[in-house]
């Protein structure tokens, strides 16, 4: 794999309240590829993501994160964001009094510096994008994550990704609670992003949806370790036999 | 340039007489001043509220006469004064946007303009000093007679004795003043006291928005601001009073603001309070007429060891009256931010409704927030509710913003902005911009002052 | 003056320190009388006299009353009340463990009958480490126009809990309670009361959350009717980490009665993860009824979350109409609304009966 265009995790260990929960993770994510991370609840998938991004409750106690050859392990959360990493979390907190458009406009200034585009121009551009990907454009003028359903919050996350143009996107169960129509829209967006060279890492429990996405790589986690690596065929296997059928390679 | 003529340091009866005579006031106003002065002398300092011991009443200049008369044209305003206003950032669009501006330099009126069209409709927008002489009947009837009474408290007595300058506005029946009228005040001298008096009368079915913004540069000695605002809202009239108070950090800001609202009248107070060493501000609405309504929206930002003891009062007397008080405060830099309010529903206020919400964000471990909301209700047909919350910024929300690329400081700015948003959105646009800018200065400059290494992060 | 009650000198000195005009009580005929309705056999109970005579207990009582943690009386009336104490009860609870090793709650139900012109007593509850106690005291009036004051002090050691429920159902008896809880680490003190009165009633309650993880609840169900004048002052004083305070008041006011309520949650610097809530609601049943409420908070540390809410309202016509459309006659509908106002608090039969009478009087 071309080291110059990848995001690598080398021996990453994440601890929660002083106790190691995710152990010695080695993964390489390539641009323009979809990696799916599977595993039973409690296997450490979310922990890995939150730990990577420096959530205050999680500590990366050993290992490295290397982005395009640059060690970004000790960068702060916002600095990682500025390097082009995006995390869509499971728990999405409210930001009262701030509209989504406003937040994204300001986030873009943080990420890309001041622009000549006015807030109104930006908003109009976002409306067009929302319509193009069949996302609810009313979310743009609503307060962030406030007064909206879980599904709408996920749509808001997708709008954020479209607005902020990250290079690697981590989606933590973004399809949780999504109906068939929304799943289709998500698939469309994922394919669009992949086509533009964005690396996507998706945690999901929807085996059927994962199959339709045709991931390049599939990783299975159990008890904080990666116990199986494969591709689409691994998904078929899990669909047939569940997770217990594949724990044979645990701790390798 | 000569310094304006200063009258004595400290208040004695002679000073009161001199103030009156130098303004050429009618006898009745002098009598009012002297009566107030006598009361002031016999009354003790208030026993409640923040510590006012740093206020050295004996060593404050109570009046300084400006060297220039009021001018009708911005171009005629002396350079020094003009520069001051430019530095304050009066919006350039003022000429087109505003109906008229009265500005004040120390205790005298300097600059005054009124658009011809409003004059034609009978709207009066005048310096208080001038109004006393030009419209004696109406001023005498309303000036500290039924709204803010002289006897109300020690500082209303002081105010009545040595008030100077201020604004008089009269809006006749049915006239809607579409553009907000505004004025700037500035305390520009060490040890000066500011006692401007604003009297606003909005007659039946009339409408007015008035904006008052204040700022003063930093000085060493404590200065005092004991102004007074009296507003009469007529039947079915609407009044919106907006003030951004950002006095210098050595000022004692003890302003008295009150409004009496007649039947079907509507009063809205929008206040942004920053600055001042100690603030005691409780805009009050007396809902006298049936179906009258008041709203008070206030933002309080405390930093750098300030004490903000502010709140609102609503006295409900008429039937079917309603009041709403919303206060959002931020305390940082070892400040004390307190809400002190009163909702008083009398037995006569049948079917009255009142709601109070006060929320405070405590940004550091050195600041303090308190709330003493008093609610009195008599009678079995009203409903009153009150909620208050004090807490800190949500950690999850902070992380969420960081993961989008916001630095800690920027993330705080976003969250604070969101917290204050419901009130800032009531301000006219350039004031919202200005107020946001003031918050940024207070918050960010304050941050870097307190912990230089943090400012670099 | 003769020391009829044979009180120890330190106690007399303590009373004198409260009120310089103190004179020893010689009216022994009219001391408050106690009747023990029910008490767990392991729960030690002493009268004040017995407490003074029992080694170990008297030192505890002395220690408590002279402790710096015990708040001073708020005013002269309160000070005078303390100086008039001439009887009382002291509960001393050791942990009671059942066969499976679980600590069991020990109960006591007592009645205090007040007669004569004025009675003042002392109620002390001490819970040793791991003990759990629940005491219910009912105040019975015999003579109208009498005045009764009580000083309660509750001390909970680590991991223990005390619930003190005062039940007052009186017409003409004036009542003045000063209740204080000293809460140790991981301990809990709950002050509950149910007060129905047409007379003066003053209740001052303060919990000092001294140990980390301490918790306190203050909960009132109040009915002030006729010319009742209630003054209720609650205070939770947080002095430790991870403490939790909860104040809740539900008061109905009828006739031309009045309730003045003040709640205060104070935290100081260094408190971490403190959670405090104050919730007060009042229902005005009559046009001459009134309330003044000041739920106050004072927060000095940003690691706390403090909130308070207040609601003052009346029985709404829509509520009554709703019940009536279901076939419920108006008087019953009013009573239901009133009971609903107090929920989820379980009210005693006496209190409910009083509510009922109260509504009947104003039909």
């Amino acid at each position: 794999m071309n080291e110059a265009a990848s995001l690598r995790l080398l021996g990453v260990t994440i601890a929660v309240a002083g106790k190691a929960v995710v152990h010695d993770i080695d993964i390489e994510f390539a641009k323009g590829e979809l990696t799916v991370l599977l595993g039973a609840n409690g296997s450490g998938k979310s922990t890995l993501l939150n730990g990577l991004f420096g959530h205050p409750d999680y500590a990366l106690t050993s290992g490295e994160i290397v982005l395009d050859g640059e060690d970004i392990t000790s960068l702060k959360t916002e600095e990682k964001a500025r390097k082009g990493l995006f995390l869509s979390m499971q728990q999405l907190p409210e930001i009262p009094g701030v509209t989504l458009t406003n937040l994204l406009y300001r986030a873009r200034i943080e990420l890309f510096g001041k622009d000549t585009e006015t807030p109104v121009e930006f908003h109009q551009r976002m409306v067009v994008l929302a319509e193009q990907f069949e996302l609810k454009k009313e979310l743009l003028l609503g307060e962030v994550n406030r007064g909206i359903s879980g599904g709408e919050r996920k749509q808001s996350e997708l709008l954020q990704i479209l607005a902020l143009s990250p290079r690697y996107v981590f989606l933590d169960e973004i399809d949780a609670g999504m109906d068939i129509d929304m799943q289709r829209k998500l698939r469309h967006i994922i394919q669009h992003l992949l086509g533009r060279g964005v690396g996507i890492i998706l945690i999901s429990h929807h085996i059927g949806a994962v199959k339709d996405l045709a991931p390049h790589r599939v990783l299975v986690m159990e008890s904080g370790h990666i116990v199986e690596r494969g591709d689409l065929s691994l998904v078929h296997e899990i669909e047939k036999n569940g997770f217990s059928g594949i724990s044979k390679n645990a701790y390798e | 340039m000569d310094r304006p003529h200063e009258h004595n340091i400290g208040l004695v009866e002679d000073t009161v007489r001199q103030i009156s005579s130098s303004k050429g006031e009618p006898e009745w106003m002098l009598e009012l001043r002297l009566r107030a002065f006598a009361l002031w002398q016999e009354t003790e300092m208030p026993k409640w509220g923040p510590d006012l011991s740093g206020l050295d009443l004996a060593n404050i200049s109570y009046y300084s006469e400006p060297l220039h008369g009021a001018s009708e044209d911005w171009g005629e305003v002396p350079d020094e004064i003009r520069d001051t206003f430019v530095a304050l950032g009066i919006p350039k669009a003022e000429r087109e946007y505003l109906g008229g501006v009265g500005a004040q330099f120390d205790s005298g009126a300097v600059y005054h303009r009124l658009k011809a069209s409003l004059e034609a409709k009978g709207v009066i927008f005048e310096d208080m000093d001038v109004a006393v002489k030009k419209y004696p009947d109406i001023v005498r009837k309303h000036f500290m007679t039924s709204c803010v009474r002289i006897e109300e408290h020690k500082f209303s007595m002081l105010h009545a004795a040595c008030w100077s300058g201020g604004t008089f506005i009269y809006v006749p029946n049915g006239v809607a003043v579409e553009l907000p009228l505004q004025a700037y005040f500035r305390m520009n001298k060490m040890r000066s006291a500011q006692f401007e008096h604003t009297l606003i009368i909005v007659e039946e079915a009339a409408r007015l928005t008035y904006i008052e913004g204040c700022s003063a540069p930093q000085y060493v000695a404590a200065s005092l601001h004991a102004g007074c605002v009296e507003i009469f809202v007529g039947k079915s009239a609407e009044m919106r009073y907006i003030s951004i108070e950002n006095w210098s950090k050595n000022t004692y800001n003890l302003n008295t603001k009150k409004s009496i609202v007649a039947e079907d009248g509507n009063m809205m107070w929008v206040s942004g309070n920053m600055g001042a060493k100690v603030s005691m501000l409780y805009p009050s609405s007396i809902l006298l007429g049936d179906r009258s309504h008041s709203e008070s929206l206030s933002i309080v930002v405390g930093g750098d060891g300030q004490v903000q003891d502010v709140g609102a009062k609503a006295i409900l007397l008429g039937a079917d009256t309603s009041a709403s008080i919303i206060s959002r405060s931020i305390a940082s830099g070892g400040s004390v931010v307190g809400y002190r309010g009163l909702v008083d529903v009398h037995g006569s206020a049948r079917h009255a409704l009142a709601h109070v919400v006060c929320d405070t964000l405590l940004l550091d471990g050195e600041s303090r927030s308190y709330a003493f909301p008093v609610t009195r209700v008599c009678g079995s047909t009203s409903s009153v509710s009150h909620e208050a919350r004090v807490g800190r910024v949500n950690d999850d929300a902070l992380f969420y913003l960081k993961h989008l690329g916001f630095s800690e400081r920027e993330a705080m700015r976003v969250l604070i902005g969101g917290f204050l948003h419901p009130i800032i959105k009531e301000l006219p646009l350039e004031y919202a911009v200005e107020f946001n800018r003031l918050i940024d200065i207070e918050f960010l400059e304050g941050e870097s002052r307190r912990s230089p290494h943090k400012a670099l992060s | 003056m003769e020391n009829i009650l044979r009180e120890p000198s330190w106690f007399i000195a303590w009373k004198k320190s409260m009120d310089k005009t103190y004179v020893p009580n010689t009216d022994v005929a009219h001391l408050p009388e106690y009747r023990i309705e029910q008490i767990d056999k392991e729960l030690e109970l002493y009268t004040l006299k017995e407490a003074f005579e029992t080694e170990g207990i008297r030192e505890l009582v002395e220690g408590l009353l002279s402790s710096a943690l015990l708040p001073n009386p708020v005013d002269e009336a309160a000070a005078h009340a303390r100086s008039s104490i001439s009887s009382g009860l002291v509960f001393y609870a050791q942990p009671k463990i059942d066969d499976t090793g679980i600590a069991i709650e020990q109960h006591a139900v007592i009645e205090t009958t007040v007669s004569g012109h004025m009675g003042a007593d002392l109620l002390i509850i001490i819970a040793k480490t791991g003990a759990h106690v629940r005491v219910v005291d009912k105040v019975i009036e015999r003579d109208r126009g009498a005045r009764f004051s009580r000083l309660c002090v509750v001390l909970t050691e680590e991991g223990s809990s005390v619930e003190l429920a005062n039940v007052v159902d009186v017409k003409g008896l004036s009542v003045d309670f000063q209740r204080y809880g000293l809460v140790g680490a991981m301990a809990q003190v709950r002050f509950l009361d149910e007060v129905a009165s047409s007379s003066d009633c003053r209740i001052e309650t303060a919990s000092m959350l001294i140990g980390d993880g301490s918790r306190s609840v203050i909960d009132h169900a109040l009915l002030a009717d006729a010319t009742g004048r209630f003054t209720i002052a609650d205070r939770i004083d947080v002095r430790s980490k991870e403490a939790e305070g909860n104040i809740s008041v539900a008061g109905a006011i009828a006739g031309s009665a009045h309730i003045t309520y003040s709640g205060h949650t104070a935290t100081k610097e260094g408190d971490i993860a403190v959670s405090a809530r104050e919730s007060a609601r009042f229902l005005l049943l009559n046009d001459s009824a009134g309330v003044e409420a000041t739920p106050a908070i004072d927060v000095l540390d940003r690691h706390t979350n403090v909130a308070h809410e207040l609601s003052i309202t009346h029985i709404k016509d829509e509520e009554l109409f709703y019940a009536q459309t279901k076939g419920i006659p108006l008087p019953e509908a009013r009573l239901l609304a009133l009971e609903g106002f107090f929920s989820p608090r379980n009210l005693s039969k006496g209190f409910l009966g009083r509510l009922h009478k109260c509504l009947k009087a104003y039909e």
Side-chain angles (χ1 to χ4, degrees):
Chain A
M1 204 174 286
N2 182 3
E3 203 211 52
S6 69
L7 174 63
R8 300 171 66 198
L9 308 184
L10 303 162
V12 166
T13 297
I14 315 274
V16 177
K19 185 164 165 259
V21 173
V22 165
H23 312 270
D24 211 27
I25 302 291
D26 284 313
I27 315 176
E28 187 158 350
F29 304 113
K31 59 178 278 205
E33 286 190 3
L34 171 64
T35 305
V36 170
L37 192 50
L38 301 173
N41 286 330
S43 52
K45 314 188 292 297
S46 289
T47 302
L48 174 61
L49 262 51
N50 282 315
L52 283 181
F53 278 82
H55 187 290
D57 294 344
Y58 301 82
L60 194 151
T61 53
S62 68
E64 281 162 23
I65 310 168
V66 179
L67 175 63
D68 297 345
E70 183 193 343
D71 185 343
I72 61 166
T73 320
S74 51
L75 289 188
K76 290 193 267 193
T77 305
E78 57 268 31
E79 289 165 338
K80 285 177 179 152
R82 287 176 208 154
K83 292 284 179 189
L85 303 186
F86 184 96
L87 168 65
S88 176
M89 311 184 283
Q90 273 189 56
Q91 301 303 325
L92 301 165
E94 292 182 3
I95 313 285
V98 183
T99 61
L100 182 57
T101 282
N102 193 290
L103 183 66
L104 291 174
Y105 183 77
R106 292 164 79 165
R108 283 178 60 87
I109 294 176
E110 297 299 309
L111 296 171
F112 309 120
K114 259 185 143 68
D115 194 3
T116 51
E117 189 180 48
T118 68
V120 173
E121 286 166 358
F122 171 72
H123 176 71
Q124 282 163 354
R125 191 159 65 77
M126 286 308 301
V127 169
V128 168
L129 264 179
E131 283 167 350
Q132 178 186 345
F133 290 98
E134 299 175 86
L135 297 170
K136 222 168 153 187
K137 63 179 192 279
E138 290 76 15
L139 294 170
L140 291 165
L141 289 176
E143 290 175 77
V144 179
N145 294 330
R146 201 159 197 229
I148 57 179
S149 67
E152 286 168 331
R153 290 186 190 200
K154 304 289 186 186
Q155 286 194 47
S156 162
E157 293 290 295
L158 293 170
L159 282 168
Q160 291 180 27
I161 295 167
L162 293 168
L164 303 179
S165 311
R167 297 164 56 209
Y168 290 92
V169 174
F170 292 77
L171 302 171
D172 194 348
E173 295 195 38
I174 195 160
D175 53 6
M178 271 189 186
D179 62 33
I180 292 278
D181 276 329
M182 196 55 229
Q183 284 177 42
R184 175 184 54 80
K185 295 174 194 176
L186 173 64
R187 212 163 47 239
H188 182 201
I189 292 171
I190 287 179
Q191 282 154 359
H192 165 84
L193 291 170
L194 291 171
R196 303 192 66 182
V198 177
I200 301 182
I201 299 89
L202 172 71
I203 294 176
S204 175
H205 283 295
H206 278 219
I207 294 293
V210 167
K211 268 196 326 189
D212 291 336
L213 284 167
H216 297 84
R217 290 200 302 125
V218 176
L219 305 169
V220 181
M221 279 186 78
E222 186 188 295
S223 308
H225 295 263
I226 295 183
V227 297
E228 191 62 59
R229 298 169 192 256
D231 57 19
L232 191 53
S233 56
L234 182 51
V235 177
H236 291 300
E237 219 184 295
I238 292 169
E239 193 183 25
K240 257 203 323 199
N241 305 320
F243 289 117
S244 47
I246 53 155
S247 300
K248 51 185 167 26
N249 294 326
Y251 311 113
E252 233 159 75
Chain B
M1 180 172 141
D2 300 332
R3 292 271 81 192
H5 186 126
E6 277 196 41
H7 283 269
N8 342 296
I9 306 290
L11 187 66
V12 294
E13 188 176 307
D14 266 357
T15 311
V16 177
R17 288 183 182 278
Q18 272 166 14
I19 293 173
S20 194
S21 68
S22 68
K23 291 175 185 292
E25 283 176 349
E27 190 66 27
W28 59 266
M29 183 49 86
L30 174 62
E31 272 167 30
L32 188 151
R33 289 183 186 274
L34 291 173
R35 185 159 61 89
F37 177 70
L39 279 170
W40 150 266
Q41 286 194 305
E42 348 169 315
T43 306
E44 286 175 11
M45 289 284 273
K47 288 192 168 58
W48 56 273
D51 175 19
L52 298 175
S53 56
L55 183 55
D56 187 2
L57 291 170
N59 283 309
I60 291 177
S61 161
Y62 285 87
Y63 180 61
S64 63
E65 218 178 277
L67 288 182
H68 314 275
S71 43
E72 282 288 312
D73 186 353
W74 179 245
E76 280 176 23
V77 174
D79 283 349
E80 188 197 60
I81 294 161
R82 243 195 347 178
D83 288 345
T84 302
F85 283 104
V86 169
L88 283 178
I90 293 182
K92 290 254 160 63
E94 177 247 41
R95 247 169 236 276
E96 295 90 59
Y97 183 71
L98 298 171
V101 167
Q104 181 158 327
F105 180 67
D106 281 340
S107 310
V110 174
Y111 175 79
H112 194 104
R113 239 178 356 115
L114 185 68
K115 267 221 161 123
S117 61
L118 286 176
E119 273 175 356
K121 286 187 204 167
V123 174
I124 304 171
F125 181 25
E126 188 62 82
D127 297 323
M128 199 66 232
D129 291 336
V130 172
V132 166
K133 293 183 279 193
K134 205 165 161 187
Y135 311 101
D137 294 332
I138 192 168
V139 171
R140 186 174 184 175
K141 183 173 165 200
H142 292 90
F143 193 102
M144 299 192 87
T145 52
S146 52
C147 193
V148 177
R149 300 227 162 80
I150 297 171
E151 304 81 9
E152 205 136 319
H153 53 74
K154 186 154 173 91
F155 292 95
S156 58
M157 296 166 193
L158 176 64
H159 174 87
C162 54
W163 75 268
S164 173
T167 305
F168 174 68
I169 303 180
Y170 175 84
V171 186
N173 283 15
V175 174
V177 180
E178 300 301 348
L179 307 171
L181 300 186
Q182 65 170 328
Y184 270 68
F185 298 90
R186 192 150 194 280
M187 258 170 14
N188 199 25
K189 188 170 74 278
M190 194 149 116
R191 295 176 176 227
S192 81
Q194 191 94 78
F195 302 100
E196 75 287 348
H197 190 98
T198 296
L199 174 58
I200 299 178
I201 300 168
V202 187
E203 296 279 38
E204 189 166 335
R207 266 208 328 266
L208 173 69
T209 296
Y210 180 68
I211 307 174
E212 202 156 356
C214 328
S215 67
Q218 294 272 0
Y219 282 110
V220 174
S223 12
L224 167 66
H225 174 231
C228 179
V229 176
E230 297 184 278
I231 302 180
F232 292 85
V233 181
K235 293 187 197 172
S236 306
E238 274 176 40
M239 173 73 208
R240 200 158 65 124
Y241 181 91
I242 302 174
S243 82
I244 312 283
E245 301 198 45
N246 184 31
W247 299 97
S248 71
K249 296 262 178 346
N250 59 338
T251 305
Y252 284 82
N253 187 8
L254 314 172
N255 215 6
T256 307
K257 304 184 202 181
K258 210 188 238 193
S259 166
I260 299 188
V261 192
E263 281 159 41
D264 299 293
N266 222 292
M267 174 72 215
M268 184 193 259
W269 300 95
V270 182
S271 344
N273 289 304
M274 314 176 53
K277 179 174 163 137
V278 175
S279 293
M280 293 173 69
L281 306 165
Y282 320 102
S284 311
S285 302
I286 316 285
L287 298 178
L288 191 56
D290 292 350
R291 299 172 303 279
S292 54
H293 173 75
S294 76
E295 259 175 79
S296 168
L297 304 174
S298 91
I299 292 178
V300 182
V301 178
D304 260 0
Q306 295 171 308
V307 175
Q308 303 256 35
D309 189 300
V310 299
K313 295 191 201 176
I315 319 289
L316 289 82
L317 294 162
D320 298 296
T321 45
S322 54
S324 155
I325 297 175
I326 300 178
S327 159
R328 299 220 157 174
S329 347
I330 299 179
S332 69
S335 61
V336 176
V337 172
Y339 172 85
R340 198 179 297 266
L342 171 66
V343 171
D344 191 352
V345 180
H346 287 234
S348 53
R350 299 192 64 70
H351 308 291
L353 293 171
H355 185 62
V356 180
V357 180
C358 48
D359 292 327
T360 307
L361 268 184
L362 272 183
L363 295 183
D364 63 21
E366 289 84 45
S367 301
R368 175 179 161 213
S369 165
Y370 58 80
F372 289 117
V374 180
T375 307
R376 283 186 210 134
V377 181
C378 182
S380 61
T381 58
S382 309
S383 290
V384 178
S385 60
H386 172 107
E387 303 159 38
R389 288 169 289 252
V390 179
R392 49 184 299 223
V393 154
N394 185 325
D395 277 335
D396 287 334
L398 207 52
F399 176 70
Y400 185 76
L401 292 173
K402 282 184 184 170
H403 102 286
L404 289 176
F406 290 94
S407 63
E408 170 112 13
R409 179 201 288 185
E410 285 304 313
M412 289 295 282
R413 209 187 212 165
V414 169
L415 290 173
I416 288 172
F419 177 68
L420 299 177
H421 176 78
I423 297 172
I424 292 195
K425 73 177 183 2
E426 296 296 331
L427 299 174
L429 184 61
E430 70 264 26
Y431 281 88
V433 168
E434 177 67 21
F435 195 73
N436 276 326
R437 200 178 67 79
L438 287 173
I439 292 176
D440 283 347
I441 292 173
E442 170 59 45
F443 181 58
L444 297 173
E445 280 184 17
E447 276 272 300
S448 58
R449 267 202 302 277
R450 282 185 292 278
S451 47
H453 62 275
K454 252 178 128 185
L456 297 172
S457 66
Chain C
M1 278 275 183
E2 244 195 287
N3 187 1
I4 294 182
L5 299 165
R6 288 206 290 275
E7 294 167 342
S9 51
W10 67 262
F11 188 59
I12 296 178
W14 178 79
K15 289 202 277 186
K16 273 207 182 114
S17 73
M18 290 294 144
D19 184 351
K20 289 188 273 292
T21 68
Y22 163 77
V23 281
N25 185 5
T26 49
D27 183 13
V28 290
H30 285 117
L31 293 177
E33 280 166 34
Y34 306 104
R35 189 176 82 82
I36 300 162
E37 231 184 75
Q38 173 216 326
I39 182 166
D40 272 19
K41 61 180 184 340
E42 291 94 346
L43 185 55
E44 292 170 45
L45 174 58
Y46 306 85
T47 62
L48 193 58
K49 194 155 170 296
E50 287 166 356
F52 290 149
E53 289 157 8
T54 310
E55 194 179 321
I57 301 297
R58 68 166 166 260
E59 282 79 16
L60 274 171
V61 174
E62 186 180 353
L64 268 179
L65 292 181
S66 52
S67 162
L69 289 169
L70 186 67
N72 289 324
V74 288
D75 58 19
E76 274 180 37
H80 182 68
R82 289 195 198 183
S83 71
S84 313
I85 295 172
S86 33
S87 63
L89 296 176
V90 178
F91 285 89
Y92 184 81
Q94 301 271 26
K96 174 175 166 182
I97 317 284
D98 71 4
D99 306 323
T100 62
I102 300 177
I104 311 177
E105 195 174 66
Q106 302 169 62
H107 301 129
V109 180
I110 51 178
E111 266 177 25
T112 304
T113 305
V114 182
S115 60
H117 173 60
M118 179 181 145
D121 78 357
L122 173 64
L123 174 62
I124 293 181
I125 304 176
I126 298 167
K128 301 298 289 172
T129 303
H132 300 284
V133 188
R134 187 164 166 268
V135 175
V136 178
D137 172 67
K138 301 183 201 167
V139 172
I140 315 278
E141 75 183 315
R142 185 177 288 159
D143 307 322
R144 299 247 179 135
R147 279 162 43 219
F148 174 57
S149 68
R150 163 174 288 171
L151 171 63
C152 302
V153 184
V154 174
L155 173 67
T156 47
E157 289 191 357
E158 189 169 327
S160 65
S161 75
V162 170
E163 180 178 293
L164 171 61
N166 290 112
V167 178
V168 177
D169 183 352
V170 296
K171 291 267 159 50
L173 177 70
S174 293
V175 159
D176 182 346
F177 282 13
Q178 301 168 40
R179 309 185 298 184
Y180 305 107
L182 306 173
V183 196
M186 302 308 294
Q188 197 188 143
V189 173
R190 298 161 57 86
F191 287 110
L192 307 180
D193 53 66
E194 200 191 73
V195 180
S197 167
S198 315
S199 177
D200 290 347
C201 171
R202 186 162 92 154
I203 304 181
E204 187 217 332
T205 312
S207 280
M208 267 67 66
L209 302 182
I210 303 167
D212 289 349
S214 52
R215 286 184 291 154
S216 182
V217 170
I218 303 175
D219 190 304
H220 306 274
L222 308 169
L223 170 59
D225 63 15
T227 52
R229 289 241 150 341
F230 286 27
T231 304
I232 312 290
D234 291 336
R235 190 186 165 88
I236 292 201
D237 210 337
V238 181
R239 303 179 186 192
S240 55
K241 299 183 174 53
E242 273 149 69
E244 198 178 302
N246 213 298
I247 299 178
S248 133
V249 187
I253 308 152
S256 47
H258 191 274
I259 295 184
T260 301
Y261 169 75
S262 74
H264 196 131
T265 302
T267 71
K268 63 171 206 347
E269 241 173 286
D271 297 332
I272 296 179
V274 167
S275 154
R277 303 205 77 79
E278 276 177 48
S279 157
R281 59 190 190 281
F282 298 97
L283 194 66
L284 292 164
L285 296 172
N286 199 273
D287 276 341
S288 321
V291 61
E292 176 174 315
T294 309
I297 46 183
D298 200 347
V299 181
L300 269 92
D301 191 278
R302 67 182 178 129
H303 292 284
T304 67
N305 273 301
V306 179
H308 69 224
E309 57 193 13
L310 166 69
S311 136
I312 299 175
T313 183
H314 56 278
I315 299 179
K316 299 195 173 60
D317 288 336
E318 309 88 74
E319 277 176 56
L320 296 174
F321 180 67
Y322 180 81
Q324 285 176 287
T325 61
K326 310 287 172 212
I328 300 172
L330 194 52
E332 270 70 29
R334 277 209 195 96
L335 184 62
L336 273 174
L338 203 43
E339 284 178 41
F341 170 75
F342 283 99
S343 75
R345 190 66 197 263
N346 283 326
L347 303 171
S348 69
K349 267 199 236 139
F351 195 86
L352 283 169
R354 195 77 186 249
L355 281 179
H356 202 188
K357 265 192 229 149
C358 179
L359 285 177
K360 261 185 146 43
Y362 303 112
E363 255 158 49

